[in-house]
Amino acid sequence: MRILLSLLILASGVFGDELLTGYRLQGLRYQGPGEWRQSAEPIWVYEYHTLRFRYRASGLPKSDAAVLTLRPGSVGPVTPGANNIENPFVAGRPVVVVTAPDLISDGAVHTVDIELRGKLRTAQIDQLQFALPDGATLEIEDLQFRGDPAARPCTTAGPPLPEDAVKLPARGPLACAGWPATGLRGRDSIHIEGGGRKGATLYLSMNAQFPGVGKWLVSSQKSWRDTEIKESSETASVLARIHYADGSGEEQFPLLVAERRHAVLNRKAALYALSLDAARPVASIELMDRSPHAQLVLYAAGLSPKSAPSTRAEEEPPPVTGPASGEPETKSTYRVTTLEGKRAPGKAVQAEFREEKQPAGRRLSLAVKNVSSEAQEFNLVFPSVTIRPAADASDVWYLFPRQGAVLSREEKPLEAMYSGEFPLQFVDVFAPAANRGTCMILQDPGGRWKKFRLHKTGASVRVEVEYTVRLAPGETFRAPDARIVAHGGDWRQGFETYRQWVATWYKPKGPRPAWLRSAFWARRDYPVGGTGRLFDTRRNRYTYDEFIRDGQLFDGIDFIDISGWALSETRGRVGDYSIELGGADDLRRNVAAGNKAGIPTGLYFEGYLIDKNSKVGREHGSEWQIIKADGTGQWWQGAVELFACPYAEGWQQFLSQRVAAVAREVGAAAVYLDEFGFGRKRCYSTKHGHPPGEETLCGELAMTSRVRQALDAAGMRDTIIYIEETPPDAA
């Protein structure tokens, strides 16, 4: 019986330690001739770099015929002649890792190890491709991608539990040096017994591995790991399900105690906490590993009678009721400062600053004029408003609405450029206990470049906006007006005032199309360099039928986004936007088939890039190219695609007309303008109709308006425009 049990264990886990297995297949059998593909969720081959399989083979040829090929798990824009990092053919084509001579073709059972480091240049692969000639057979009992034993997160114990915590028993699907653990593949759980005990906090001493998340760079020198992952990028990868004895339950993300935030560190043991209802006995806790590329090791779990620490993000100002108790103390001004590398403007610049009372607060205005005979460049800070809503610094809060809005009372400086980073033009300062607050609204629907700053010191908060100004002799710059509005002790009141201002100038073009209101899943693919489901390169035709069927595995598709449809071996992927792949008739037929199935199509266009080999690139590239501060043109990687300035009138006219013509020709329901919304580039050309050094957000606005006008004129009013980044309010 003991021998039989050992054989059963060996059969279920041929290569032993499941803790090292990142991907596994069993029971494969192939009879040649033929080719077979095994698709998989990304297999992180830098982490599981040993491919090991147990097999039987017969009839294999003596030539170097490929038996197993790994396809890099990347898709992206294919740019002929370029080496940009998004190009999947630069990152690596499918790589043959097993040839016929690598296997013993005698029909007996053998095991082979393949070291993948040095063979692949990508961090992951997503498909195994088997091939056999006529008369050959291959049976694979067990195939695994495996990691190093040194990578297991159980070499030392984790941090101790608090002294008042009562330790609870736990078990997992695997054991790591005796501690409960989950595997590196699959979605498993560690079960913790509550035993009917009560407590306010459950502490977890835990370690985790996240091999498949974070930013990893793979260079042409085969440097596998350039950036260490510090934590999981997906909070939901680890979730705790609490079961109370009365049958009720709840789910929580573990709180990293040391940093008081919901995050799980990578390869670093730490103490985590869950907040419990202290009045209810706990039956059990399920610690869930919800990612196929994560592993958990639980060193200890324990119940404490003390409340769990709160997160920094959960610290909220108290509610406020009743009318405001007066206006906060405020002081408004401006200042002119020296631009780096330039002379101080001094008396060469004269300013006219006004502050006037209005029914709803105060209006601040400023105009600066260059009264010298030379051009002047400088920084202008306007407004600079110091707000003191209460004497007690602990009662003074602020809202700084950048991406990841900051609602806090910490004494620290904050800064963000008006763009996708800081999309709303207001800052609010308030004191809940004193029931006073002030909102600063910058009234600029034109979207000019600027920086927003905030700095709390004691009970005072300074709010500023900074511009970079260039004035010719005699020229005047009028800064956008600012409003200072007093309110009660709740930031929502200031936010509502800002929204009311936006409503005075923002008017939607019209109702969103019905298909857009009901769309949820959008799927992007590339005819070349993509999944191979959207386009058949051998037959040079689109395959919407296969693509839509494949989408059913992901709960269906509501919208198809095609990138790289304009690829040309001689003219690149961006610029001319001719339809060589499949031809216009084939693309139009497939788009119509998608529409019939209730799945509209969007086509990719670049708001900035033009291939230098395209017709328009050869004729106008140097004319429209963005010029950097050093006087040279700006290029995308590989110096194949140049950045065109969206202010350039010729570029606006060409791109808008080409977008409208293609959308009408194939019946596109949407057009995509890549790279738009960020508003972070600058152009120093003197030939594009803008001052040298101007940032490009307003140019993006102008270009997008031209595209809208061209679509409308072409009878495509229902064709929507979508862009890469959530833009600031003016956009």
Side-chain angles (χ1 to χ4, degrees):
M1 178 63 72
R2 189 172 298 173
I3 295 174
L4 176 60
L5 181 60
S6 299
L7 290 174
L8 288 173
I9 293 173
L10 182 63
S12 63
V14 174
F15 304 121
D17 194 349
E18 288 287 293
L19 291 165
L20 303 178
T21 304
Y23 183 78
R24 188 176 191 181
L25 289 172
Q26 292 179 304
L28 304 178
R29 188 180 191 281
Y30 301 115
Q31 174 75 49
E35 295 182 359
W36 302 268
R37 298 181 179 184
Q38 289 282 346
S39 296
E41 289 194 58
I43 303 171
W44 300 92
V45 288
Y46 58 67
E47 190 74 31
Y48 320 126
H49 52 80
T50 300
L51 170 60
R52 177 181 297 177
F53 60 92
R54 186 179 177 90
Y55 71 95
R56 299 174 188 265
S58 62
L60 292 177
K62 296 182 180 180
S63 65
D64 289 335
V67 175
L68 174 58
T69 301
L70 302 182
R71 190 182 80 166
S74 62
V75 297
V78 175
T79 306
N83 62 355
N84 60 78
I85 58 175
E86 294 178 337
N87 191 336
F89 294 159
V90 171
R93 294 177 181 271
V95 175
V96 176
V97 295
V98 178
T99 62
D102 296 326
L103 304 179
I104 301 174
S105 185
D106 61 1
V109 177
H110 300 280
T111 298
V112 63
D113 280 3
I114 308 295
E115 174 55 55
L116 300 177
R117 287 183 294 195
K119 295 180 180 291
L120 300 171
R121 291 175 54 195
T122 52
Q124 64 183 39
I125 61 108
D126 67 1
Q127 195 175 85
L128 294 81
Q129 302 172 351
F130 295 91
L132 292 175
D134 189 19
T137 62
L138 177 64
E139 298 180 28
I140 298 179
E141 294 182 5
D142 195 284
L143 179 151
Q144 297 182 23
F145 288 81
R146 298 173 59 79
D148 291 324
R152 291 184 300 182
C154 42
T155 54
T156 59
L161 301 175
E163 292 183 359
D164 60 3
V166 177
K167 192 172 181 180
L168 302 178
R171 65 180 185 276
L174 300 174
C176 193
W179 291 299
T182 64
L184 276 167
R185 60 185 175 86
R187 295 172 172 87
D188 303 320
S189 297
I190 295 175
H191 186 84
I192 304 169
E193 293 289 344
R197 297 181 178 86
K198 295 181 181 180
T201 305
L202 177 71
Y203 284 97
L204 306 169
S205 178
M206 186 174 71
N207 203 340
Q209 288 195 82
F210 299 103
V213 297
K215 184 178 181 181
W216 290 76
L217 306 175
V218 181
S219 72
S220 58
Q221 287 74 35
K222 301 180 179 62
S223 173
W224 281 67
R225 186 179 303 171
D226 295 326
T227 303
E228 178 63 31
I229 306 167
K230 300 191 182 300
E231 63 187 64
S232 170
S233 63
E234 286 290 343
T235 306
S237 294
V238 181
L239 184 67
R241 181 173 294 154
I242 302 161
H243 301 278
Y244 292 104
D246 61 6
S248 62
E250 59 181 299
E251 294 180 345
Q252 292 184 30
F253 300 123
L255 177 75
L256 179 59
V257 173
E259 300 182 23
R260 291 172 54 202
R261 63 190 182 97
H262 293 287
V264 178
L265 301 181
N266 185 38
R267 302 179 188 276
K268 183 177 181 180
L271 190 65
Y272 299 86
L274 305 173
S275 181
L276 307 179
D277 184 344
R280 289 187 287 174
V282 177
S284 63
I285 300 94
E286 188 179 1
L287 185 59
M288 295 183 288
D289 163 3
R290 305 211 312 172
S291 169
H293 309 292
Q295 181 178 45
L296 304 179
V297 176
L298 182 66
Y299 303 110
L303 278 174
S304 168
K306 296 180 180 178
S307 297
S310 63
T311 69
R312 292 189 177 96
E314 288 172 348
E315 186 181 25
E316 295 183 0
V320 179
T321 58
S325 59
E327 291 191 16
E329 178 184 329
T330 62
K331 180 182 178 181
S332 305
T333 186
Y334 73 94
R335 67 179 183 274
V336 175
T337 63
T338 305
L339 191 65
E340 184 178 357
K342 303 292 181 180
R343 290 184 301 173
K347 295 181 179 180
V349 172
Q350 292 183 354
E352 182 181 354
F353 173 71
R354 291 184 179 180
E355 181 173 355
E356 58 182 286
K357 290 187 177 181
Q358 293 183 329
R362 287 171 291 150
R363 182 173 69 92
L364 308 179
S365 61
L366 178 71
V368 291
K369 183 178 181 179
N370 179 6
V371 296
S372 73
S373 59
E374 298 180 355
Q376 300 292 331
E377 297 182 61
F378 52 91
N379 286 331
L380 175 65
V381 177
F382 169 80
S384 177
V385 184
T386 302
I387 305 168
R388 194 170 186 270
D392 181 3
S394 65
D395 186 35
V396 176
W397 295 71
Y398 52 83
L399 172 64
F400 193 71
R402 68 181 185 192
Q403 276 188 343
V406 180
L407 181 64
S408 177
R409 54 182 172 178
E410 287 188 61
E411 296 189 24
K412 64 179 180 181
L414 296 169
E415 179 180 288
M417 186 173 78
Y418 175 69
S419 64
E421 294 177 359
F422 192 94
L424 309 180
Q425 298 183 83
F426 83 100
V427 177
D428 200 84
V429 180
F430 59 101
N435 198 6
R436 290 190 296 269
T438 295
C439 182
M440 189 286 291
I441 302 172
L442 194 76
Q443 298 181 320
D444 180 20
R448 183 185 172 91
W449 181 92
K450 47 194 164 283
K451 283 183 181 178
F452 283 79
R453 293 199 184 100
L454 177 148
H455 192 181
K456 181 184 177 185
T457 306
S460 296
V461 180
R462 187 173 69 249
V463 178
E464 296 183 336
V465 181
E466 182 183 84
Y467 303 88
T468 298
V469 180
R470 296 169 180 82
L471 294 178
E475 188 177 7
T476 297
F477 170 70
R478 297 188 182 277
D481 288 352
R483 282 179 61 197
I484 307 298
V485 181
H487 56 75
D490 192 330
W491 64 267
R492 296 169 183 83
Q493 297 165 339
F495 181 43
E496 180 58 30
T497 304
Y498 160 78
R499 294 182 66 211
Q500 292 170 3
W501 168 72
V502 172
T504 64
W505 57 267
Y506 171 67
K507 306 297 179 186
K509 289 290 184 182
R512 293 180 175 88
W515 69 263
L516 180 59
R517 294 197 299 270
S518 61
F520 185 76
W521 287 112
R523 184 166 174 186
R524 164 171 287 182
D525 207 347
Y526 303 79
V528 180
T531 65
R533 307 287 188 182
L534 176 68
F535 189 83
D536 188 329
T537 55
R538 290 174 297 178
R539 294 184 292 168
N540 191 35
R541 60 178 293 267
Y542 281 90
T543 52
Y544 265 45
D545 50 352
E546 180 181 351
F547 192 67
I548 292 172
R549 280 197 304 271
D550 186 64
Q552 297 305 314
L553 299 173
F554 302 90
D555 200 27
I557 306 172
D558 298 320
F559 176 74
I560 296 174
D561 171 283
I562 306 180
S563 183
W565 56 270
L567 178 65
S568 166
E569 286 295 329
T570 57
R571 293 188 286 176
R573 68 183 182 101
V574 291
D576 293 341
Y577 295 105
S578 56
I579 307 177
E580 296 183 12
L581 296 176
D585 289 342
D586 178 62
L587 180 54
R588 181 170 53 252
R589 282 193 301 269
N590 279 269
V591 169
N595 289 334
K596 187 175 181 180
I599 307 173
T601 296
L603 297 180
Y604 174 102
F605 293 86
E606 243 291 350
Y608 282 98
L609 296 179
I610 301 175
D611 195 295
K612 68 179 182 180
N613 299 305
S614 65
K615 182 176 182 294
V616 69
R618 294 194 305 270
E619 294 177 356
H620 300 286
S622 59
E623 174 188 352
W624 299 339
Q625 189 172 20
I626 287 179
I627 302 301
K628 298 186 293 185
D630 62 3
T632 62
Q634 187 169 352
W635 295 86
W636 178 235
Q637 293 184 4
V640 173
E641 296 174 348
L642 61 90
F643 283 92
C645 177
Y647 287 101
E649 169 64 23
W651 175 228
Q652 288 185 15
Q653 182 177 354
F654 175 83
L655 183 62
S656 60
Q657 293 299 321
R658 194 71 196 112
V659 168
V662 172
R664 183 174 183 177
E665 184 175 19
V666 303
V671 292
Y672 177 73
L673 299 180
D674 196 18
E675 297 194 74
F676 273 22
F678 293 97
R680 299 172 186 166
K681 295 179 176 63
R682 285 182 176 273
C683 180
Y684 289 82
S685 172
T686 59
K687 302 177 181 180
H688 298 160
H690 62 75
E694 190 80 350
E695 66 85 34
T696 54
L697 177 62
C698 292
E700 293 180 11
L701 287 172
M703 174 68 87
T704 309
S705 295
R706 290 288 288 271
V707 172
R708 179 75 270 159
Q709 293 165 13
L711 287 168
D712 292 351
M716 306 295 289
R717 293 187 62 87
D718 289 337
T719 297
I720 69 165
I721 300 171
Y722 58 119
I723 61 178
E724 180 174 5
E725 173 67 33
T726 302
D729 53 9

